Amino acid sequence: MTLPILAVTIGDVAGIGPEITAKSLLGHDDVRTRCIPVVIGDEAAMRRGVLNVGGDPAAIRVIKTVAEARNVPGTIELLQTGPSLENVQQGVLSAAAGDASYRFVVEACRLARAGEVQGIVTAPLNKAAMHEGGHNWPGHTELLAHEFGVKNFSLVLSAGDLYFFHLTTHVSMRQAIENITVERTLSVLELAGAFAKSMGKPDEIIGLAGLNPHAGENRLFGDEDADILAPAVAMARARGLNVEGPLPGDALIPAAVRGKYNLAVVCYHDQGHAPFKAVYGDDGVNITVGLPVVRVSVDHGTAFDIAGKGIAREASLVLSLERAAELAPGWDHVWKTAQAA
């Protein structure tokens, strides 16, 4: 079987990205039986990352093209992207590092559009640093959507068979409420349905969390659930989707964790992220659904406070590589199903 090639971006080099990349690729040879990882980043930053975790920088092999990758255990095959970042200080917000993290993602997208890689795995970037570097994106998800020219997409947190789709992500609460429309809600419900269909589960129940406490409690705590979410649910059901809701978030999410729902749609960032991280920690990953290639990311930040100490855990990045390798071969079906929806 041909292994999928994954572009692995190292994120903000002032953070823990290079370290967890080094630990993942030098300490988990079994990952290479599932995929061919090609690092998109900076040689100087990766050398430092390898040294920080007690490795030998000679393991780094700079290649010019993806086709040169040999997937040899104990090596890190890297495409140098842009000028050297050897002067970037670890643990310190840096415009140079922010600019580079943007460039790594753009290059990974270019390789994906060219068909040279079948998936993208991202180490964390720092949004403030990326903004300092001149790239005003809320985060990875929105940048990736822009690079691929897609409008209908969702950040999805996943652990095992559980998937949390998000109506909104990296915006203020005030903006999130404004962004939650019937059209947006319906589009994400359709994405969730397309994802379920691509996995051979077209009748999978999709639970939609309410925006307000108690899902509005018959308008006692706001009108959005009745005026926006409920009509979207009705429209989704009319299109054949098995949707329940809007349900109180404090009822839906515990039920999903217990296995009643494998697909849940939440309204805003912390409604999904806070309970998900509390329960799953390093066992969770971040998937972007709605892109033409699979993209999986760690579900944690750049951790400037421990950068350079070699103590950052690589578990989430290893899981991201494994999940991307698992999803990549069938992702074209996910993409076509989502487009049809």
Side-chain angles (χ1 to χ4, degrees):
M1 183 180 68
T2 302
L3 297 178
I5 303 173
L6 303 180
V8 184
T9 62
I10 63 174
D12 191 306
V13 301
I16 61 173
E19 294 174 46
I20 60 174
T21 302
K23 284 185 174 182
S24 297
L25 299 186
L26 298 180
H28 297 268
D29 289 344
D30 56 317
V31 168
R32 298 179 185 275
T33 66
R34 307 185 187 192
C35 66
I36 301 173
V38 175
V39 174
I40 313 299
D42 176 72
E43 181 184 10
M46 274 309 310
R47 287 180 64 86
R48 186 166 58 183
V50 170
L51 285 170
N52 285 341
V53 302
D56 182 358
I60 299 171
R61 176 174 174 252
V62 178
I63 57 178
K64 298 293 185 183
T65 66
V66 170
E68 296 176 36
R70 297 292 175 261
N71 203 27
V72 177
T75 65
I76 296 174
E77 294 176 303
L78 178 143
L79 288 171
Q80 177 68 30
T81 307
S84 173
L85 300 171
E86 60 183 347
N87 294 324
V88 171
Q89 184 178 348
Q90 288 182 286
V92 178
L93 191 74
S94 163
D99 174 57
S101 65
Y102 164 85
R103 285 190 280 103
F104 301 157
V105 174
V106 170
E107 175 62 10
C109 293
R110 185 191 70 79
L111 293 170
R113 289 195 301 269
E116 296 183 48
V117 301
Q118 287 72 57
I120 298 172
V121 175
T122 55
L125 55 72
N126 184 283
K127 299 173 183 63
M130 184 168 62
H131 293 179
E132 288 287 331
H135 310 289
N136 194 27
W137 294 100
H140 265 126
T141 304
E142 296 82 4
L143 171 57
L144 286 156
H146 170 77
E147 287 298 310
F148 286 111
V150 301
K151 300 295 184 183
N152 189 19
F153 59 91
S154 177
L155 183 158
V156 181
L157 298 180
S158 174
D161 294 328
L162 176 63
Y163 300 88
F164 279 9
F165 287 69
H166 287 63
L167 295 185
T168 66
T169 49
H170 301 115
V171 294
S172 69
M173 278 299 302
R174 185 182 302 277
Q175 188 64 53
I177 293 169
E178 293 179 3
N179 289 354
I180 296 173
T181 62
V182 173
E183 293 76 18
R184 171 61 181 168
T185 305
L186 178 61
S187 71
V188 173
L189 290 173
E190 289 187 316
L191 273 182
F195 188 69
K197 184 177 180 181
S198 71
M199 294 190 297
K201 302 177 180 179
D203 296 323
E204 187 80 22
I205 300 173
I206 303 167
L208 172 64
L211 172 65
N212 295 300
H214 304 182
E217 189 88 17
N218 295 318
R219 300 185 185 273
L220 288 175
F221 308 129
D223 297 327
E224 293 86 358
D225 296 275
D227 291 344
I228 297 172
L229 300 185
V233 169
M235 294 170 70
R237 288 175 178 165
R239 299 183 185 188
L241 297 178
N242 189 6
V243 183
E244 294 183 1
L247 304 168
D250 60 356
L252 170 65
I253 292 173
V257 170
R258 290 193 297 267
K260 182 176 180 179
Y261 302 94
N262 286 333
L263 298 177
V265 178
V266 297
C267 289
Y268 54 91
H269 185 280
D270 284 9
Q271 188 180 42
H273 279 65
F276 186 90
K277 290 184 177 182
V279 174
Y280 298 106
D282 288 343
D283 293 328
V285 297
N286 175 344
I287 305 170
T288 307
V289 174
L291 303 180
V293 298
V294 61
R295 175 264 177 161
V296 186
S297 178
V298 298
D299 188 32
H300 61 72
T302 48
F304 280 176
D305 57 324
I306 61 170
K309 298 180 180 180
I311 61 174
R313 295 187 300 271
E314 76 276 20
S316 188
L317 184 57
V318 172
L319 187 59
S320 296
L321 289 162
E322 293 173 345
R323 184 57 66 93
E326 173 192 349
L327 293 173
W331 196 259
D332 188 55
H333 184 45
V334 177
W335 169 239
K336 288 180 179 178
T337 306
Q339 284 182 302

